[in-house]
Amino acid sequence: GNSNTQRAKLEQIKTLLGNSKVASFEKCVELARFKFGEFFHDKVAQLLYTFPPDAKNRDGSLFWSGPKRVPTPVVFDKNDETHINFVVSAANLFAYNLGIPENRDVAFVAECASQVKVPAFVPKKMSIKVDEKDTTETKAEDDDEVLDRLMQELSVCDYTATFYPADFEKDDDENFHIAFIAAGANLRARNYSIQEVDRQKVKMIAGKIIPAIATTTAMVTGAVCLEIYKLLQTDDVEKFKNG
């Protein structure tokens, strides 16, 4: 990925390694609260800083027009059910990754989340790729410098930790997977004033994604194998399919 993507991944690795040393469910709530701010407030605020509501394209047309809606940052509210659903599910998923017992006490999580000190958003000077034809690399002004520092810090890191990956399972209503996806999807929809949907609808949509990808991949792989057999059996180029 580009330097911005690499930076985000290394920052996440550093955060998880750091928290593995002082693992507690309260730390997981803190991580979840930070992710809420990053995903649904800071990234949107940064986008609006780079492309204000009245921003224009090079040809003079409005940037926010047609299918592009002007987004609105979401400010965390411990009394908003969707906000808390995100933090509860994200915190429990972090807890699973770190081998910490789960906690389903919504009131406890809400209170913990409201006490987290989240740094105020500070906009960055960024270049953002706006479409497939745009050759601009999405990156912040200080990405390369921060990336070098992170690589140096992680190269001498002596942390040893055991992490537990979570394999997605939509049919287990107790594993927080669908709860996390539902809360995250609805909060992103709220950013763009898109109609939100209930958990069952989210579960139905999520359940259709993996089988569709798997079956399509299997079909394409089978077709490719057929062409390989032809290649081994004949030199007649007319017998091959050009996909």
Side-chain angles (χ1 to χ4, degrees):
N2 58 39
S3 57
N4 189 256
T5 301
Q6 292 173 11
R7 171 181 175 174
K9 289 180 178 179
L10 289 182
E11 286 177 337
Q12 184 65 29
I13 291 171
K14 181 183 176 182
T15 298
L16 287 174
L17 284 172
N19 280 282
S20 68
K21 284 291 188 180
V22 289
S24 68
F25 193 79
E26 287 79 3
K27 276 291 182 183
C28 293
V29 173
E30 182 179 277
L31 284 174
R33 175 64 184 88
F34 285 154
K35 285 300 176 186
F36 180 99
E38 176 189 347
F39 292 156
F40 309 114
H41 182 276
D42 293 359
K43 285 182 178 291
V44 176
Q46 179 62 55
L47 188 60
L48 288 171
Y49 175 80
T50 306
F51 300 106
D54 59 352
K56 294 184 178 181
N57 296 312
R58 293 174 182 174
D59 61 4
S61 61
L62 286 173
F63 176 81
W64 296 107
S65 60
K68 294 199 291 286
R69 303 187 184 194
V70 180
T72 303
V74 173
V75 178
F76 180 74
D77 178 1
K78 72 173 185 176
N79 297 311
D80 188 299
E81 183 179 4
T82 305
H83 294 198
I84 294 304
N85 284 345
F86 178 86
V87 175
V88 169
S89 56
N92 276 284
L93 288 171
F94 277 127
Y96 182 91
N97 292 149
L98 294 169
I100 299 171
E102 65 181 32
N103 189 325
R104 296 175 179 273
D105 188 336
V106 175
F108 170 78
V109 173
E111 186 57 33
C112 281
S114 67
Q115 299 300 318
V116 175
K117 303 299 181 184
V118 180
F121 168 70
V122 178
K124 305 173 184 176
K125 290 185 177 179
M126 288 194 69
S127 55
I128 298 178
K129 183 175 182 176
V130 296
D131 57 44
E132 292 302 320
K133 297 179 181 178
D134 190 351
T135 57
T136 302
E137 180 183 0
T138 297
K139 63 181 297 184
E141 195 174 48
D142 63 344
D143 273 353
D144 292 332
E145 177 184 341
V146 174
L147 189 58
D148 288 341
R149 176 173 55 78
L150 285 168
M151 292 178 69
Q152 177 62 31
E153 291 174 356
L154 290 171
S155 68
V156 296
C157 175
D158 62 352
Y159 293 157
T160 56
T162 301
F163 297 105
Y164 304 89
D167 294 322
F168 177 64
E169 174 50 66
K170 70 177 179 66
D171 294 319
D172 183 352
D173 291 333
E174 302 298 315
N175 63 11
F176 297 100
H177 295 186
I178 292 297
F180 175 76
I181 293 172
N186 280 318
L187 285 166
R188 178 63 76 230
R190 195 173 297 184
N191 282 140
Y192 288 93
S193 302
I194 298 171
Q195 183 176 356
E196 299 174 31
V197 300
D198 60 26
R199 177 192 173 102
Q200 193 59 34
K201 178 70 172 178
V202 171
K203 185 176 181 178
M204 183 180 71
I205 296 171
K208 291 180 178 179
I209 295 173
I210 294 177
I213 294 174
T215 53
T216 302
T217 303
M219 291 170 63
V220 172
T221 302
V224 170
C225 288
L226 286 175
E227 300 308 306
I228 293 175
Y229 289 145
K230 293 178 186 177
L231 179 63
L232 294 173
Q233 294 173 358
T234 181
D235 294 329
D236 187 359
V237 72
E238 296 300 323
K239 293 184 178 181
F240 296 102
K241 298 289 185 181
N242 182 3

